[in-house]
Amino acid sequence: MDFAVSVGSSVRDELCTRLIQVMSQLINETGDVVVEKESFSRFSMYVKQMKNIIEELHGKRVEARTESRPMRKALEELELDVNKALDVIKSYKSRGRFSLLINSGSLLSKMKQVADEMARDVTLLSLANIDATLELKSKTNEIINGFQSMEFKSAASTEAIIMEIEKCNTARNGGEYAENLLKQIADAVGVMPNVSTVRSEIQLLQQEKEELELRKQRAEALQLSQLIHLLQSLDTMPQSPPETSAGLQNNLISAFVCPLSGEPMEDPVAICCGHSFERKAISDHFERGEINCPVCEEELLQKAISAFDCIESDVLNQALEDLQELIDIPECTAEVSRKGLVSKFVDLMQCSSMNTKATLKCLLCLANHSRENKEVIASKGAIRYMIKRFHRGEIEADAVELLVRLSDEQMIAEQIGNTKDAIPTLVSLVQNPNPEISQKAEIVLRNLPSSNTEFIVKMAEAGHFDPFLAQFHQVPSAARCLMATALARIQLSESAANKFETEDFIRALTKMLYSNPPDSKSACLLCIKKLVTFQRLARWFLLERDTIPALLGLMYSSISENHWKQEATDILISLVGVSEPSDYSTNISLQELHSQHNIDRLLNLTATSTPQTSAALLRFFLAMVQKSEVARDSIHFDQIATICFSSASEGNLQGELPQSPQKESIVTSLVTILTSSRNIEERSTVAGIIGHLPVDDIAIDEMLCRLEALRSILDVISAADARHVGIMTREAIPTADDSTHGLLENALAALLRYTDPAKPELWKQVSKLEVYPTLVHVLSTGSSVAKQQTALALTNLCRCTQHPATSSGAATVEKVTIFTRSRWLTEFLDNSSWCCPFSPSVHPGLCPIHGSACSSGQTFCLIKANAVKPLVQMLSETQSGAPETALMALDTLFIDSRTFSNAAMAIVDNQGIAPILNVMEKGLPPAQEKAIDLFEKIFPHCTLKKPQFERLEGILIHLLHFDNLKRKAASMLGQMKVIPQQSSYF
């Protein structure tokens, strides 16, 4: 049987041909790896076995079927990982043999990773193969297990050699030790320990060491340096006659002794003349002001300086390495400055191939030398370059220190502050775990001009508020206005907000409410409004004696702008919200706010203000009556009802209504307006309020039933729907306008309260009224939100009117959004288990789904109400929530498995197949999931045309890539017999 049955022959052949070629190369390359040969031999064996399988696949004929994406993907991934293994091996083989030994650990680690990835690829290839024989499955399993079991560990002998090289103290261990170490290295990599080999390896190691140093891989470079020193000592041997073992020992010993200290070198470093010293010894030599080599007495400074005329990167890097050892000497610093090399060093720092650390050290010493040097460094772009490096995470303490030195000059400090991203980046460095870096970054920020408000604001925007707080009460009023405006825009965390709990700041900000410039008042109000959203800060403003009087003064002033009054009211709401019972006896400003005089003035202001300000004031009164007994005694019940009415109409009524008798008074007032008013918009607004009343409040449900609010709600729905389509009802309704959508949506929100399956006393009222024609009409004519609300209402009614006994345990409908209701309803649908007790053989004229059950006047059926077609049409709105709710409603047709065939035909007859596929392909994830569920019920009972089948297959294969959908998609593909039922997707 063919190994690949789903990959088209042309694509498959091309992939297989490339794979066979690259696998052959990989087998050849692994054959002559000089380290850990046993591991590479096993790896090569499994690659050969895999190559045999690919060759077998390449030679097979494949039936003309649709191309298998999983198979193609598996082959492509395998090709990538085989190439990766080839690249790893070639990269390491391009080095010297001694280097390969030193880096064998890294090589083996990468090979282990590649082997694991290849095991995964072979697994995917096996899973993608539907018709593989048991023998072939066994072979692939052997390869998978083989790759997974590859250890790729260094041999103990290799580890021992590397440890000895790291110690590399030949003088202390003697010549015999060094000679044996060299022989071990040579044996491990399969070469003879002769002078020619040593010199060749030294050249390769030197080149690799320089590359590592440029990449800042200091640990790896040190390993190579230690090996280089060992080999350099052997390179001094004359070729003829061969040197004795004693001579070799002497050379080895002398090569590792520092000429300055006379001690074996533990941290050797070579200077520009080529001689090596212990790093501390040569550094001490230079710190004493010496600029000549202790061995050859060559003047090192001029040699290092002259090297900067060269353009070769290795020469320049060596010059930088040498100069950083000399640059601390005052004479050297002066000479470099005099030669005009400062700008040269800035250019070198910005070159990726240069030793940045050495360059920074030189620039730091030069900056310390003179102000002129600082100005040159800044003018050449060093500041911007260092900020970019910090932003990329390349942070060196010397670079931050250089900024500290530059910021000592006021003019340059200004330049630092104006550099793009400088302040946010420096603020992030203040949080660096390295205290040396964080402290220096903070010094740079402190050195920025405190008189520059823009800098202070940028620091605050980045989360550094100390300068902001220190300067806020000291700066001129114009600057304070800018700072307050900026603070109002900043996103604050709880911990950041706590920093503003200072008396100086709170008082200075509050006093801005009394200032004359309008911009200052606006900035102050916005800032306080932002800060009082944090409870602790709101308490600070509440306790500040000037806050409430200043806010009331703004609200009562005839020259105050309307938006000031609204914002002042919002602030008062927050202050009242954090008040405590004890405050009403101790806080004079709060007592004055609750005086009858102020309550009357504010109520009067409510009646004369803009709608936005009035709504804000009503929310304020609601907060007062909920927090204060004094306020409840000062405001009459009818005023409370008005307050709650307006607040709920704006969607702001939350929590519980005031306790009885206020609650009953409010609900009665609402229903009275709903049933008595001849103004359709007023009635719709009240319906919206009812939709926002606490959904779990049983007392409110009882009041609504007793007051017969439902009939008025339905009148509003009918009138709003008629208004939308431009027809006339019993009331004189003008042509539809934009406000109609809101009227209808509010009324439907109220109706949803009556369709909750958990409340039979409410939904039974709906079932008694002729509401279905209007609701079905809204499915075609309403806004997207109205359609969704209607579909949810119909879904509930389909469930609860047929078998109410099973709905009592369902979760209650959430009050806030349609999406909350959708989540509940999804759970309800998933947990429902009832079915219609009728025969699938239905008498003509009866409902093909529910039979005679639909004849009852208290039941609802999508078929009899002609709701299927508009629900199908809703599926075209793929980027809204409409398809999800429509699918939930259509799913109510599939209750009894005996009538699935009739239910499927109802959807097919209403051209529902294509829209469901559209949702499956382009809809939002929740709708896609429901579309798959519904289609899985439809599929066994309908015959798809070939284009439809192929489209469905393509969509489902695409959905296999999504974790939340792949199981359902795989199940559907299994029904279609596209993939086997035992596929790994299950």
Side-chain angles (χ1 to χ4, degrees):
M1 188 175 292
D2 290 351
F3 185 74
V5 297
S6 301
V7 180
S9 61
S10 61
V11 176
R12 180 210 61 186
D13 288 348
E14 183 180 351
L15 282 170
C16 290
T17 299
R18 293 202 307 265
L19 260 173
I20 292 167
Q21 291 173 350
V22 75
M23 283 181 168
S24 298
Q25 294 179 49
L26 180 59
I27 293 166
N28 291 334
E29 292 292 340
T30 55
D32 56 353
V33 176
V34 297
V35 295
E36 311 307 333
K37 292 186 176 181
E38 182 178 348
S39 294
F40 282 94
S41 176
R42 284 188 62 213
F43 179 77
S44 179
M45 178 185 70
Y46 294 125
V47 175
K48 287 178 183 176
Q49 292 178 7
M50 193 64 238
K51 176 172 168 283
N52 292 338
I53 290 178
I54 300 299
E55 287 174 340
E56 182 180 346
L57 169 63
H58 186 48
K60 293 289 186 180
R61 292 286 181 183
V62 181
E63 298 176 15
R65 297 188 185 183
T66 305
E67 183 179 289
S68 168
R69 295 184 185 180
M71 175 69 78
R72 184 176 62 192
K73 182 69 173 174
L75 289 171
E76 289 171 346
E77 290 291 330
L78 181 59
E79 182 186 16
L80 286 174
D81 289 326
V82 172
N83 274 307
K84 186 187 297 183
L86 188 60
D87 290 342
V88 169
I89 293 173
K90 283 184 176 180
S91 172
Y92 280 88
K93 286 175 68 176
S94 66
R95 306 175 179 182
R97 291 184 174 232
F98 287 10
S99 171
L100 183 56
L101 178 71
I102 290 288
N103 292 285
S104 60
S106 174
L107 167 64
L108 296 174
S109 174
K110 290 182 179 179
M111 289 303 298
K112 172 60 178 171
Q113 181 181 354
V114 171
D116 289 341
E117 291 171 351
M118 291 176 67
R120 180 206 62 193
D121 298 337
V122 179
T123 302
L124 292 176
L125 194 61
S126 177
L127 290 173
N129 173 35
I130 300 174
D131 300 328
T133 64
L134 291 176
E135 180 183 2
L136 197 54
K137 286 284 188 183
S138 176
K139 289 181 181 179
T140 55
N141 288 337
E142 180 183 351
I143 296 171
I144 293 166
N145 294 332
F147 280 136
Q148 289 176 337
S149 64
M150 293 294 301
E151 292 188 352
F152 279 113
K153 288 185 178 180
S154 297
S157 58
T158 304
E159 295 285 351
I161 292 172
I162 294 173
M163 289 178 64
E164 292 300 323
I165 293 173
E166 289 173 351
K167 295 177 183 177
C168 205
N169 195 336
T170 57
R172 206 169 279 170
N173 292 279
E176 184 178 353
Y177 156 79
E179 187 177 2
N180 288 335
L181 179 56
L182 177 62
K183 289 180 179 179
Q184 291 176 35
I185 295 172
D187 288 343
V189 297
V191 297
M192 293 297 294
N194 54 42
V195 173
S196 175
T197 299
V198 169
R199 287 180 176 173
S200 174
E201 290 293 330
I202 288 174
Q203 184 178 359
L204 292 171
L205 290 168
Q206 286 281 18
Q207 180 181 350
E208 186 177 350
K209 174 177 172 287
E210 292 171 0
E211 294 172 356
L212 290 170
E213 288 173 340
L214 288 175
R215 295 198 299 268
K216 311 300 183 194
Q217 294 175 251
R218 295 181 179 86
E220 294 87 344
L222 178 60
Q223 273 190 326
L224 294 188
S225 180
Q226 292 164 332
L227 182 55
I228 288 169
H229 280 290
L230 173 64
L231 297 179
Q232 283 176 335
S233 68
L234 300 174
D235 191 28
T236 61
M237 295 186 301
Q239 290 189 353
S240 180
E243 192 163 350
T244 63
S245 175
L248 174 61
Q249 292 173 12
N250 291 334
N251 281 329
L252 289 170
I253 293 171
S254 62
F256 282 89
V257 173
C258 174
L260 278 173
S261 66
E263 296 292 330
M265 291 184 288
E266 295 183 359
D267 186 14
V269 60
I271 61 177
C272 56
C273 61
H275 293 101
S276 297
F277 303 89
E278 177 66 25
R279 183 180 296 277
K280 185 178 186 309
I282 193 63
S283 295
D284 292 343
H285 177 76
F286 292 140
E287 286 177 7
R288 292 192 293 270
E290 299 289 345
I291 58 174
N292 296 333
C293 172
V295 176
C296 66
E297 298 185 351
E298 180 180 356
E299 184 181 343
L300 302 175
L301 178 56
Q302 291 302 325
K303 184 177 179 65
I305 290 177
S306 63
F308 287 102
D309 294 330
C310 182
I311 61 172
E312 296 181 8
S313 59
D314 55 346
V315 175
L316 289 170
N317 274 320
Q318 185 59 54
L320 286 168
E321 187 77 24
D322 297 335
L323 191 59
Q324 73 171 334
E325 300 297 332
L326 302 168
I327 198 70
D328 288 323
I329 303 171
E331 294 82 356
C332 178
T333 309
E335 180 66 12
V336 172
S337 301
R338 190 181 66 81
K339 291 282 189 180
L341 291 177
V342 179
S343 60
K344 175 77 172 180
F345 288 157
V346 176
D347 291 338
L348 292 177
M349 179 180 67
Q350 300 182 57
C351 181
S352 60
S353 62
M354 289 296 103
N355 185 336
T356 305
K357 184 175 179 61
T359 311
L360 281 171
K361 182 176 179 181
C362 293
L363 285 172
L364 184 55
C365 291
L366 291 166
N368 288 332
H369 179 70
S370 68
R371 185 179 67 182
E372 290 75 14
N373 284 349
K374 292 178 183 177
E375 291 173 354
V376 173
I377 293 170
S379 67
K380 288 289 291 182
I383 296 171
R384 178 64 183 144
Y385 175 72
M386 287 188 287
I387 294 300
K388 283 183 177 180
R389 285 180 63 86
F390 297 157
H391 197 65
R392 295 195 300 263
E394 301 171 11
I395 304 166
E396 300 92 353
D398 282 347
V400 187
E401 177 68 21
L402 179 56
L403 280 183
V404 172
R405 295 292 169 255
L406 295 177
S407 66
D408 288 338
E409 301 296 329
Q410 189 73 7
M411 181 182 69
I412 302 178
E414 190 88 21
Q415 187 178 342
I416 292 173
N418 286 319
T419 299
K420 183 182 178 182
D421 298 327
I423 289 178
T425 303
L426 288 167
V427 170
S428 70
L429 292 183
V430 172
Q431 309 302 322
N432 193 283
N434 184 337
E436 183 181 8
I437 290 173
S438 63
Q439 290 167 13
K440 288 176 180 177
E442 194 157 8
I443 292 172
V444 178
L445 291 171
R446 276 204 305 269
N447 286 348
L448 301 185
S450 60
S451 60
N452 192 314
T453 305
E454 183 182 354
F455 293 170
I456 294 173
V457 168
K458 283 183 178 178
M459 292 183 214
E461 288 172 342
H464 187 56
F465 298 103
D466 293 346
F468 188 99
L469 289 166
Q471 295 296 319
F472 187 79
H473 63 286
Q474 298 179 6
V475 298
S477 59
R480 193 177 300 135
C481 176
L482 291 174
M483 294 170 71
T485 301
L487 183 56
R489 294 195 306 263
I490 296 173
Q491 294 296 322
L492 295 175
S493 64
E494 193 78 35
S495 59
N498 294 342
K499 294 180 181 293
F500 292 90
E501 296 174 7
T502 70
E503 187 174 341
D504 286 342
F505 171 75
I506 299 293
R507 184 161 296 165
L509 184 58
T510 302
K511 284 184 177 179
M512 290 177 66
L513 292 170
Y514 295 104
S515 58
N516 290 324
D519 290 347
S520 184
K521 281 189 174 69
S522 293
C524 176
L525 285 167
L526 289 172
C527 188
I528 295 177
K529 183 178 177 181
K530 172 70 170 285
L531 296 176
V532 296
T533 59
F534 299 93
Q535 286 198 1
R536 285 174 48 173
L537 271 173
R539 288 287 302 172
W540 275 78
F541 281 101
L542 177 64
L543 298 177
E544 169 56 43
R545 62 186 180 185
D546 289 333
T547 307
I548 292 177
L551 292 170
L552 289 175
L554 275 176
M555 296 172 69
Y556 296 154
S557 173
S558 60
I559 62 173
S560 289
E561 298 180 17
N562 286 323
H563 68 91
W564 292 355
K565 297 179 181 180
Q566 184 178 344
E567 287 153 4
T569 305
D570 289 337
I571 295 170
L572 285 174
I573 291 171
S574 296
L575 299 185
V576 170
V578 298
S579 63
E580 298 173 357
S582 60
D583 293 327
Y584 292 88
S585 60
T586 59
N587 191 315
I588 296 176
S589 297
L590 193 60
Q591 292 172 353
E592 182 63 23
L593 175 66
H594 285 72
S595 68
Q596 191 65 53
H597 168 73
N598 275 317
I599 288 176
D600 290 341
R601 289 194 68 179
L602 292 171
L603 283 169
N604 181 62
L605 191 62
T606 303
T608 58
S609 297
T610 63
Q612 294 82 2
T613 304
S614 296
L617 282 164
L618 290 168
R619 289 196 303 272
F620 165 67
F621 281 119
L622 184 60
M624 287 181 70
V625 299
Q626 289 176 333
K627 290 289 287 190
S628 167
E629 186 176 348
V630 173
R632 288 194 290 272
D633 292 340
S634 301
I635 304 174
H636 299 299
F637 290 162
D638 58 340
Q639 294 172 317
I640 296 176
T642 303
I643 292 167
C644 293
F645 165 81
S646 299
S647 295
S649 68
E650 295 292 326
N652 295 309
L653 187 61
Q654 297 180 1
E656 296 182 359
L657 289 172
Q659 295 301 312
S660 182
Q662 289 92 331
K663 179 189 293 187
E664 186 163 1
S665 174
I666 292 168
V667 175
T668 301
S669 298
L670 294 174
V671 176
T672 298
I673 295 172
L674 185 67
T675 56
S676 303
S677 174
R678 302 301 297 170
N679 185 301
I680 190 64
E681 293 191 14
E682 186 174 284
R683 294 165 69 192
S684 178
T685 302
V686 173
I689 297 170
I690 294 173
H692 284 87
L693 292 175
V695 71
D696 296 325
D697 197 323
I698 297 176
I700 290 178
D701 291 340
E702 293 173 351
M703 294 176 196
L704 292 174
C705 289
R706 187 171 63 253
L707 296 167
E708 298 185 351
L710 175 61
R711 189 174 296 277
S712 296
I713 292 172
L714 296 176
D715 285 345
V716 172
I717 293 175
S718 298
D721 181 51
R723 181 187 180 103
H724 181 75
V725 297
I727 63 174
M728 302 298 292
T729 64
R730 65 187 181 192
E731 295 177 338
I733 302 175
T735 305
D737 55 34
D738 292 339
S739 65
T740 304
H741 294 307
L743 302 177
L744 185 57
E745 290 163 8
N746 283 341
L748 288 167
L751 178 64
L752 279 172
R753 184 185 189 94
Y754 284 81
T755 66
D756 183 350
K759 298 182 177 182
E761 71 281 359
L762 295 182
W763 61 252
K764 283 181 180 179
Q765 292 187 43
V766 179
S767 66
K768 295 176 182 178
L769 302 175
E770 290 294 325
V771 300
Y772 307 124
T774 299
L775 293 180
V776 173
H777 195 256
V778 172
L779 291 177
S780 301
T781 62
S783 66
S784 179
V785 173
K787 290 177 182 179
Q788 293 176 64
Q789 292 171 317
T790 303
L792 285 172
L794 295 179
T795 302
N796 280 354
L797 292 169
C798 284
R799 293 288 179 180
C800 59
T801 60
Q802 295 178 38
H803 285 269
T806 63
S807 64
S808 59
T812 59
V813 181
E814 295 291 335
K815 66 174 181 178
V816 181
T817 67
I818 192 161
F819 303 103
T820 309
R821 295 187 178 98
S822 178
R823 285 194 298 271
W824 170 83
L825 205 52
T826 302
E827 181 179 352
F828 179 80
L829 291 179
D830 290 341
N831 293 333
S832 296
S833 58
W834 62 271
C835 59
C836 296
F838 53 79
S839 169
S841 300
V842 181
H843 188 276
L846 295 179
C847 172
I849 309 297
H850 307 117
S852 60
C854 293
S855 302
S856 170
Q858 297 188 9
T859 60
F860 177 74
C861 170
L862 297 179
I863 302 291
K864 300 289 282 186
N866 295 318
V868 176
K869 190 173 190 64
L871 286 170
V872 166
Q873 291 170 344
M874 282 175 63
L875 300 179
S876 62
E877 302 176 23
T878 54
Q879 294 307 305
S880 71
E884 182 181 0
T885 53
L887 289 165
M888 292 165 63
L890 291 172
D891 191 62
T892 62
L893 297 173
F894 294 86
I895 300 301
D896 191 328
S897 59
R898 295 171 298 174
T899 60
F900 273 21
S901 178
N902 291 337
M905 286 304 102
I907 292 177
V908 172
D909 290 345
N910 285 277
Q911 289 78 48
I913 297 299
I916 295 174
L917 292 180
N918 283 338
V919 176
M920 210 182 295
E921 181 178 21
K922 303 174 183 177
L924 300 174
Q928 286 179 308
E929 187 173 355
K930 287 182 172 56
I932 297 174
D933 290 339
L934 182 61
F935 210 93
E936 195 168 13
K937 298 173 183 177
I938 297 172
F939 180 74
H941 306 286
C942 67
T943 302
L944 297 182
K945 296 179 181 179
K946 185 178 180 181
Q948 289 178 319
F949 186 93
E950 291 176 348
R951 184 186 177 200
L952 174 61
E953 180 183 4
I955 292 170
L956 292 171
I957 289 174
H958 174 69
L959 295 180
L960 291 176
H961 298 292
F962 299 91
D963 290 341
N964 59 324
L965 298 172
K966 68 179 181 182
R967 281 186 175 274
K968 291 181 180 293
S971 174
M972 191 70 206
L973 286 168
Q975 284 193 40
M976 297 166 64
K977 303 192 183 304
V978 173
I979 63 174
Q981 293 292 342
Q982 68 273 18
S983 168
S984 62
Y985 287 109
F986 299 102

